[in-house]
Amino acid sequence: MGPGPSGSGVLPPEPSESGSSEAEEQGESVPSARDGKRSPNPALWWINGRGGEVRWSFEEMGVHSRKVANILTDQCGLRKGDRILVILSRIPEWWLVIMACIRTGIVAIPATLQLTAKDIEYRLQASGAKCLVTTEALGSAVDSVAPWCPSLKTKLLVSSEGKQEGWLNFDELLREAPANHACAKTKMNDPMLVYFTSGTTGAPKMVEHTQGSLGFRPLISQRSWLYTTSSDLIWSTADTSWVVAALGSFFDPWALGSCVFIHNLPLLEKTTILRTLSQFPITAFLSPPAFFRMLLKEDFTSYKFKSLQYCISGGESISLEVIEEWKNKTGLDIYELYGQTETGSICSVSKEMKIKPGTMGKALFPYDVQIVDQEANILPPGKEGEIAVRIKPERPLGFFTQYIDAPQKTAATTRGDFFLTGDRGVMDEDGYFRFIGRADDIINSSGYRIGPFEVENVLLTHPAVAEVAAISSPDPIRGEVVKAFVVLSTDYATHNKEKLTMELQEHVKKTTAPYKYPRKSSEKGGI
């Protein structure tokens, strides 16, 4: 066993019979899953775009995840119910850590690498996480806030570069860890995953999912949103901090025996995505609308998607123009998927359904999705209202349990027998739903949920800002972006507006996750 691939510290097993492909590096096409020339799919097929590659079978995933489970319990001292903040990108270790947490009953909190030190401090303090795992990219940021996070006892570093003071080295521990592990006894309602999600007011909230909500749902669903088999390779480009990463590149594909294909994608380049779709036997592609819009700006003539059969869009609403242009360029339909961090996927356009352009499909089992009015009365087809999910008398499997430590916010999402999604929509006579827009001020930018309060709060810490209001603004690529209107303090009233705009944008980028910064300018004081 040699060193792990560049960009990931993991130690891959000896090559299996299927071997390792160097197609991306060599520019060759890999045999399609449909031509019968390729041996059975692995469980996880990961590449980094620079020749590094991992292909693990389900058996190998089991071995590695048991070793990681032993690291979390024996080396990190974690026990069932403890929380761990997992700040890892699209690298194999993310899958191993999440699997190990499920085995041990440890509660994983996936988070994006775009977090700043302040974001990390807030998440550690709010969650009480006892352990954190990340890479060198955020090591110094974690160290800078660790003294103010008394719950944090252990820091785990994914790195092949050696030891770092105050950190346990994931790679070294993985080499020595035993491969035998007995799963903890967990119940359906025991917590499993926690996601931080933005709201219209206040700091991000903690959304709790249980062992049963995401893991068992695809096993009992009578009509899955995915419809893949053991012959398929599904590639989801979702950030590992999104619930769609758990749905599209973990639970649902593996419940169906499909291979999860992952490109590290350190940079979201159009040519990288198109080349990967052309060179690897990817049969299903799941991506937010922003990615499809971005790809459509490229010339497709030099790319041939020989294996691709099934394209899925989720995370935000996709326009009819994008669906039609994608169909014209590739010959493939885009099947829309709708859901939220709190609910997982609740509506979809499946392979067996007629595609109605502009709709996001029908309700998925076991959800009863309806359009309701202000009094939670069910509205008739064609009438606009709030998209809601019935949660009484029984809360459906797959649903979040609560906003942790925020009972009032949890209660505020309920009206009558329904959970309110905060989205407005219409249902037609055939049960197809059409998204209209948000019922609140949440900004959805390239799949990231941004609360106006978060942006306003950061801008108010800059001495130039006396008052501020952040709003959503349409964007042809990201769908929506943040636009902020600022009233300058007296001392900055005569400053150069262009330079000050850039200064305030950089201030937001450095203080909180960069995807939240205001991107648009206005002659009326906006940035």
Side-chain angles (χ1 to χ4, degrees):
M1 295 172 65
S6 177
S8 168
V10 79
L11 295 175
E14 295 293 339
S16 60
E17 291 182 4
S18 58
S20 293
S21 167
E22 295 295 334
E24 183 178 56
E25 191 175 33
Q26 301 297 328
E28 298 172 357
S29 176
V30 180
S32 167
R34 292 173 292 173
D35 59 18
K37 298 178 181 179
R38 191 167 54 80
S39 54
N41 284 333
L44 181 72
W45 186 348
W46 174 90
I47 63 172
N48 66 2
R50 302 187 301 276
E53 184 169 18
V54 163
R55 295 180 69 179
W56 285 333
S57 66
F58 284 100
E59 181 180 3
E60 289 164 338
M61 290 295 297
V63 170
H64 290 309
S65 67
R66 289 193 292 272
K67 290 165 73 73
V68 177
N70 285 320
I71 292 173
L72 297 182
T73 55
D74 299 345
Q75 304 298 325
C76 299
L78 298 177
R79 297 293 179 264
K80 176 184 173 183
D82 289 341
R83 295 171 185 162
I84 177 173
L85 187 58
V86 184
I87 316 178
L88 296 174
S89 62
R90 304 173 186 89
I91 57 176
E93 290 86 350
W94 185 84
W95 280 261
L96 297 184
V97 170
I98 299 300
M99 286 183 68
C101 286
I102 296 171
R103 297 187 65 91
T104 57
I106 295 166
V107 182
I109 308 173
T112 178
L113 278 180
Q114 295 192 53
L115 296 182
T116 63
K118 182 177 180 180
D119 295 324
I120 295 170
E121 180 181 5
Y122 168 72
R123 281 157 176 75
L124 287 171
Q125 292 178 349
S127 68
K130 293 183 178 180
C131 182
L132 179 149
V133 56
T134 191
T135 61
E136 288 138 318
L138 287 179
S140 60
V142 173
D143 286 337
S144 71
V145 301
W148 292 273
C149 303
S151 65
L152 182 62
K153 305 300 181 185
T154 310
K155 297 177 293 184
L156 194 55
L157 191 69
V158 176
S159 169
S160 57
E161 301 300 320
K163 296 182 179 180
Q164 185 168 322
E165 186 177 355
W167 292 76
L168 297 176
N169 187 284
F170 182 94
D171 308 79
E172 292 180 1
L173 294 175
L174 186 61
R175 281 193 287 267
E176 304 299 328
N180 296 321
H181 181 270
C183 283
K185 293 182 179 180
T186 55
K187 298 180 180 179
M188 292 278 280
N189 292 326
D190 287 343
M192 178 179 68
L193 289 168
V194 171
Y195 290 93
F196 278 84
T197 187
S198 297
T200 54
T201 60
K205 305 181 294 293
M206 290 183 283
V207 177
E208 180 184 79
H209 280 280
T210 67
Q211 290 278 340
S213 67
L214 298 179
F216 278 87
R217 179 193 45 76
L219 296 175
I220 66 165
S221 293
Q222 296 176 353
R223 185 173 65 84
S224 170
W225 63 270
L226 189 53
Y227 281 91
T228 57
T229 69
S230 59
S231 298
D232 287 299
L233 272 75
I234 177 170
W235 180 19
S236 169
T237 62
D239 190 299
T240 51
S241 65
W242 298 351
V243 73
V244 73
L247 298 173
S249 58
F250 197 100
F251 293 109
D252 291 74
W254 282 346
L256 299 170
S258 305
C259 172
V260 170
F261 181 91
I262 298 296
H263 192 302
N264 195 28
L265 285 180
L267 297 174
L268 301 179
E269 297 176 339
K270 300 187 292 290
T271 55
T272 298
I273 297 174
L274 293 172
R275 186 170 63 245
T276 303
L277 288 171
S278 297
Q279 295 173 350
F280 288 86
I282 298 160
T283 58
F285 180 59
L286 169 59
S287 204
F291 277 42
F292 285 102
R293 290 192 291 265
M294 178 182 70
L295 295 177
L296 287 171
K297 292 186 175 295
E298 192 72 13
D299 182 2
F300 277 39
T301 55
S302 59
Y303 302 102
K304 303 296 181 184
F305 307 148
K306 298 180 180 179
S307 299
L308 191 61
Q309 307 168 41
Y310 187 28
C311 300
I312 312 159
S313 172
E316 56 178 308
S317 181
I318 190 167
S319 70
L320 179 59
E321 291 77 16
V322 171
I323 294 174
E324 291 177 344
E325 187 176 355
W326 185 262
K327 175 79 170 182
N328 291 335
K329 285 193 172 185
T330 67
L332 297 168
D333 292 305
I334 296 178
Y335 296 82
E336 193 160 359
L337 174 70
Y338 170 76
Q340 295 183 327
T341 305
E342 291 87 346
T343 66
S345 52
I346 58 176
C347 292
S348 79
V349 180
S350 71
K351 284 184 176 180
E352 296 179 351
M353 290 167 54
K354 174 185 176 183
I355 294 179
K356 287 190 175 183
T359 70
M360 55 193 188
K362 298 181 179 181
L364 283 165
F365 179 86
Y367 297 115
D368 178 7
V369 184
Q370 299 289 344
I371 303 296
V372 302
D373 63 14
Q374 289 294 322
E375 285 73 42
N377 298 310
I378 297 175
L379 294 173
K383 190 76 172 178
E384 180 182 335
E386 276 200 68
I387 301 172
V389 183
R390 190 183 299 277
I391 57 173
K392 296 178 183 179
E394 185 176 348
R395 202 173 183 88
L397 187 66
F399 231 69
F400 83 119
T401 55
Q402 62 173 326
Y403 295 120
I404 297 173
D405 298 330
Q408 291 182 332
K409 289 186 180 293
T410 303
T413 62
T414 302
R415 186 185 300 160
D417 293 342
F418 292 92
F419 166 82
L420 304 176
T421 64
D423 292 333
R424 296 187 65 80
V426 174
M427 183 177 69
D428 69 14
E429 295 282 353
D430 297 320
Y432 284 75
F433 289 85
R434 180 165 60 88
F435 178 83
I436 301 296
R438 287 293 298 177
D440 54 27
D441 296 327
I442 285 293
I443 302 163
N444 192 329
S445 184
S446 296
Y448 288 97
R449 282 175 58 170
I450 305 169
F453 173 85
E454 300 172 69
V455 181
E456 293 165 355
N457 214 30
V458 171
L459 284 169
L460 284 170
T461 63
H462 193 285
V465 180
E467 297 179 41
V468 61
I471 65 170
S472 169
S473 182
D475 184 81
I477 298 298
R478 295 177 175 85
E480 296 177 302
V481 294
V482 178
K483 186 174 185 178
F485 291 85
V486 174
V487 175
L488 296 176
S489 60
T490 304
D491 293 341
Y492 285 80
T494 60
H495 278 55
N496 181 285
K497 295 299 188 294
E498 289 187 7
K499 289 184 178 180
L500 189 54
T501 294
M502 294 178 63
E503 182 179 333
L504 292 175
Q505 288 175 324
E506 288 301 315
H507 176 68
V508 176
K509 289 180 185 179
K510 292 177 180 178
T511 308
T512 188
Y515 63 81
K516 299 177 185 179
Y517 84 92
R519 295 175 183 267
K520 288 197 173 181
S521 61
S522 167
E523 295 178 359
K524 297 182 180 180
I527 64 167

